[in-house]
Amino acid sequence: MIIRLILSRMVLAVLTLLAVSVFIFWTAEILPGDIAARVLGREATEESKQAFRDRLRLDRPLHERYWLWLKGAVQGDFGVSLVDQSQERQVADSIKPRLKNTAILGVYAFALYVPVTIFLASISALYRDRLPDGVISLVNLVGLAMPEFVIGTVLIYGFAVKWSLLPVLSQIQRAETLKEILNSTTLPAVTLTIVMSVYSIRLLRDSLIEVLESEYIRMAILKGLPRYRVILFHALPNAAAPALNTMALNLAYLIGGVVVVEQVFAFQGLGSLLVQSVFVRDAPTIEAVALLVSTVYIAANLFADVMSIVLNPRLRTG
Amino acid sequence: MNPLLEVENLTVDFWNQNRWVNVVSHVSFKVMPGEAMGLVGESGCGKTTTAYTLLGYRRPNSRIDKNAEVCFDGQNILKLPGSALRRIRGKRIALVPQNPTTTLSPGMRVGRQINEVLAAHGVSGGERQERVLDLLAHVRLPDPLKTAQKYPHQLSGGQQQRVIIAMALACRPDLLVLDEPTTGLDVTTQAQILELLMHLRQEQGMAMVYVTHDLSVVATICDRVGVMYAGELVEEAPTGELFRNPRHPYTRGLIASVPSVRVPRQRRRILLRGYLQRDQLPPGCRFAPRCLFAHESCFSDKQNLVTAAENHQVACWRWSEVPQLATEIVEELPQPEIVSAPKGAPLLQVDDLNCAYEYHRASLFANPVAKLVVRDVSFDIRPSETFALVGESGSGKSTIARTIAGLLRPPSGKVTFDDQAIAGKVGARTQDLRRDIQLVLQNPDASLNPRQPVLQIIGRPLEIFFHLRGKELRNRVEQLLDDVRLDKTYVRRYPGELSGGERQRVAIARALAANPKLMLCDEILSALDVSVQASILELLRALQAERQIAYLFISHDLAVVRSLAHRVGVLYLGELCEYGQVEEVYSPPFHPYTHMLLSAVPEVNTESRLVPTVRSDAAEGTGSRKTACPFANRCPWKVGKICEDVPPPLQQVSETHALHCHIPLEELRQRETWSKSTLQTAKS
């Protein structure tokens, strides 16, 4: 039963991804103008333009090119970058270090985000309408109202400029040891954690409060169970479902949507690569990054789906 | 012997909209070791709050008076710190709450939920698993090993309640607090749970505090009863004494309001008037506004419990006069008229109706599967007649109502209304037909829009069907409110400002607004207090007499059905197994299923404790039908293989009464025990 359910979700996820890939490829291809002319410049000869088109197989029909592109993408070959024709730079090569940086930052931020959210939401729900809840809600509201670049800037001002604890700019591309990595990622990671957790804390707090008022929680208390067991085994698993979906979306956001935060810290991640590629109209790179980000989005949602199936026995048993 | 539990001066207030509202007031009682004490009263009387306080539980935003004491085994529970409370809860005082479905943690296997209690109270790991299986077997759950591995939603309501009882018994508590443990369960399931509780009490000698609104359940299971009204204990006596000589006017009214399944039509009786209005309590006796015998002084003088007889205490200064006064009033009441089923052409005729729900698809690409829940049901209803459908949950009663209302399209069968075959779906029906058939649902909290005032709720059908506007509309709504005995100032109120009974009256008024010929009443009384039930029953009878409305009355309550219906159909797993005039169905010969249902109903019995017995609870029979007679696998009188293979023949008992069974009528007459036990009780 559960295997079938998960399998059918996975099939759906793959289908969605295919649809997305068609859309991405098509959008990049309909960008106006002759790509060859755009890349090689106005002075290029007709022969060199023709050679360029041949190399990129631009004269083949769209569906054939899509198929070739997809086949390559599945094997990790996203083609050649259009910028800097002299060097024949593979898209995959330019993505790889960026992906690594983004992954490090993402994992770091996510590892902070989940426990912080659960902890603060639990405190808030347990001390509902009392001082701790009030303080958390207030700070939350401030966080919610501030755009991410303001949060980042404030953190830089405090930790980097005023107290000189951490570097202003993130030099992750030069970091080698763990200490250097942590040094260069902590501020952006904290910024992202704040951005992500403000909304999740509210969500989890509200669903926790609802669960804490339920009869099964009252029963758990009146069974004489210790408090931590009531929270950990009875309240949290049942309150997690709505928060899980936001967590999954946030996970995806970490991979592709953190352009602004990357800019604030001059962080060399996927987001800034995407922005740069858009400026120079480097279609293969845009396609590759977009496909990668969509894959993460879909995978994260699939993960959230599967988790809520696992947490809710109603969905997994007949 | 010292009492196990002593409640002294318990007073509880809730914080509600910026002020303290008193919920329990100066309640004192004692429970001896091994004794079963019942607390009864209508909703809002504070019985549940009292029960939870016994476990040291305090609702958020509530306060307990500092002079109150709940002494359990010499310690005041209210003064204990959290850690000491945790050691007592679940170990020495255990709880069985009302709704098993919402009480079990949905994400945890039931075995583990029991295991947890043992772990919290220091039973070692090796021993626990064995104890869990023992407990599950003890509450008579089939295959403990398998059951322990199940999640709550995989069990039926009755099985869930057994799991909770097993959980409560895990540490062999001295005191079991039960809060309406069988409300919401089928009668047959209730009978089994009651029987189990009595058996366990005998075996383990634990004391019980049993909270319920159901007097007949209390009569079955308790040694002593306390009656609560508006937060006060108004009468307390041993069970037999209380039902034989009720002293307080409220107790008398409560007992009179309970319809009996054993007596044809209620004799003359004094019903309770009005309902509890917490914001209008007088400083004196809180019951005075509803009391037939109240003097002026009752409104100002506080009534304290006084001893009326040995062990019998009552909080009414006129307790000695009340019986005499009551008799006088009863004698002035008119005799209830004898109801006979109306004759004439049927208004609604249902022939070989099948009903089905479409199942969810098994996977994305599979076809939806239809599940047949009602098979070949036929009946008819005449104008101003009440036809009742009875049966356990899952028998398809509500499905039939929904199908007639046009919410479900029947796969086959014919429904004729006023000699016209009517369309399956409501959207395809004519305006007139939609007006003629109106549906009233069980839960008025859910069926009335909370954001609409009464004027709009009742006015809507008037706009649609009669194009009334403005002043005209308002006048008509006020008239309808009057018809359902509500004040016309209610037009401006919202459902949230009404009591449960008033809300159901508004729902009935909304149906009446369409001026229907047929009203489908789906369990409309089950969510209401007995006194409110009784008054709505009176209302339904009066409306029928005034307007010749026909009712399809769907209920699981056999006593209510007996007091209201002209004809009855008994439904089991979607098939009619017996039907006839009401008195025919309630007297032998019975279909074995009818007999089982009747035997499961507990009675307010003054002489002896009749323990209802049934063989299996409702859930064991549900699911897909595998036998020719749907009841074969649960039938205590099963003949043999023939029941599984050959559909039972229809045996005509009289012109109007028939049942499906292989057993000859004469033998059915001999085998039944229910009406034989009736004889002595009907007299008392």
Side-chain angles (χ1 to χ4, degrees), chain B residues 519-539:
Chain B
M519 229 159 95
L520 311 170
C521 306
D522 188 1
E523 296 272 14
I524 62 171
L525 301 177
S526 1
L528 306 174
D529 276 321
V530 273
S531 64
V532 183
Q533 263 189 20
S535 67
I536 291 199
L537 276 174
E538 291 301 327
L539 174 69

Side-chain angles (χ1 to χ4, degrees), chain A residues 215-216 218 223 233-234 313 317, chain B residues 102 105-106 113 116 121 153:
Chain A
E215 287 170 45
Y216 58 85
R218 188 167 63 181
K223 266 153 81 172
F233 291 89
H234 292 272
T317 53
Chain B
T102 52
S105 216
Q113 299 197 35
E116 233 182 6
H121 297 296
H153 74 275

Side-chain angles (χ1 to χ4, degrees), chain B residues 561-576:
Chain B
V561 163
R562 185 164 199 178
S563 73
L564 182 74
H566 300 104
R567 285 188 301 143
V568 182
V570 183
L571 208 59
Y572 184 75
L573 281 191
E575 291 184 37
L576 268 184

Side-chain angles (χ1 to χ4, degrees), chain A residues 4 12 15 214-219 221-227 229 233-234 238 311 313-314 316-318, chain B residues 52 57 86 89-90 95 97 102-108 112-113 116-117 120-121 151 153-154 167 363:
Chain A
R4 263 184 76 180
L12 272 179
L15 288 178
S214 71
E215 287 170 45
Y216 58 85
I217 293 299
R218 188 167 63 181
M219 187 65 203
I221 294 169
L222 294 180
K223 266 153 81 172
L225 297 186
R227 209 175 154 97
R229 269 202 82 92
F233 291 89
H234 292 272
N238 292 305
L311 279 177
R314 259 166 219 280
R316 88 182 113 103
T317 53
Chain B
Y52 277 91
Y57 182 82
R86 272 201 290 280
R89 287 172 178 170
L95 172 75
T102 52
T103 298
L104 288 168
S105 216
M108 198 187 273
R112 211 173 135 215
Q113 299 197 35
E116 233 182 6
V117 188
H121 297 296
Y151 286 98
H153 74 275
Q154 295 171 304
M167 202 152 83
S363 77

Side-chain angles (χ1 to χ4, degrees), chain A residues 35-45 48-50 52 85:
Chain A
I35 300 175
R38 205 168 65 218
V39 172
L40 299 176
R42 247 177 293 175
E43 291 86 46
T45 58
S48 62
K49 280 201 247 178
Q50 192 53 47
F52 178 83
Q85 279 301 303

